[in-house]
């Protein structure tokens, strides 16, 4: 291509076409719909709902913590005065423990989505880009 303007227009058209194909793949409007496997946005949805969702449902947020341990943490947080409500510090401690259980499945979900997005991006890369 000759001239800065022509190269700029070509690059802009290339990016617009890529963006359109990528959006179509994520929305399920792409030309090559397959019946063999989930792909594009459907695959991402599967990762979030089926894989990650099922994992989250299987997590017991207070697993490994007995009622007695919870009571002890609450009493320790109340100190000498005692409280009618759960003190802030023990509540935070228990919640932090429960949230820490979410990290491994969240990282697995992130990796699966990242891999799928890379696969989609590579598959939709314009032939003229090389």
């Amino acid at each position: 291509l000759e001239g800065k303007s022509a190269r700029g227009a070509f690059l802009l058209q290339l990016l617009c076409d890529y963006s359109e194909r990528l959006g179509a793949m994520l929305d399920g409007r792409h030309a090559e719909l397959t019946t063999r496997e989930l792909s594009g946005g459907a695959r991402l949805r599967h990762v979030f709902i089926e894989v990650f969702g099922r994992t989250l449902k299987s997590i017991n947020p207070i697993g490994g913590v007995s009622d007695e341990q919870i009571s002890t943490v609450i009493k320790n947080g109340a100190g000498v005065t005692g409280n009618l409500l759960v003190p802030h510090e023990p509540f935070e401690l228990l919640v932090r423990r429960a949230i820490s259980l979410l990290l491994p499945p969240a990282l697995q979900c992130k990796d699966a989505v990242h891999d799928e997005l890379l696969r989609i991006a590579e598959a939709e890369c314009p032939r003229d880009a090389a």
Side-chain angles (χ1 to χ4, degrees):
L1 295 174
E2 293 185 29
K4 247 183 175 175
S5 178
R7 286 191 306 252
F10 175 73
L11 180 60
L12 182 60
Q13 186 61 47
L14 200 65
L15 290 172
C16 286
D17 291 345
Y18 176 69
S19 173
E20 179 61 35
R21 283 195 308 276
L22 190 63
M25 184 67 142
L26 292 174
D27 290 341
R29 299 179 283 113
H30 55 99
E32 296 141 17
L33 287 173
T34 178
T35 58
R36 292 171 294 163
E37 65 181 355
L38 293 176
S39 64
R43 179 77 185 141
L44 293 175
R45 181 178 170 81
H46 171 77
V47 168
F48 279 116
I49 293 177
E50 297 298 324
V51 178
F52 187 57
R54 189 177 314 128
T55 303
L56 289 183
K57 287 179 185 176
S58 71
I59 293 175
N60 180 1
I62 57 171
V65 180
S66 69
D67 290 346
E68 184 178 320
Q69 289 172 317
I70 293 172
S71 177
T72 302
V73 167
I74 292 171
K75 288 175 186 174
N76 285 339
V80 176
T81 59
N83 288 333
L84 292 174
L85 302 174
V86 176
H88 183 72
E89 291 80 12
F91 177 74
E92 261 189 31
L93 176 70
L94 295 170
V95 169
R96 271 195 205 111
R97 284 185 187 169
I99 290 175
S100 70
L101 298 174
L102 301 176
L103 185 60
L107 291 175
Q108 288 174 340
C109 180
K110 180 228 15 138
D111 289 340
V113 168
H114 179 259
D115 292 345
E116 183 62 21
L117 285 173
L118 285 177
R119 195 190 67 67
I120 293 169
E122 191 174 292
E124 297 306 319
C125 186
R127 312 290 180 258
D128 302 337

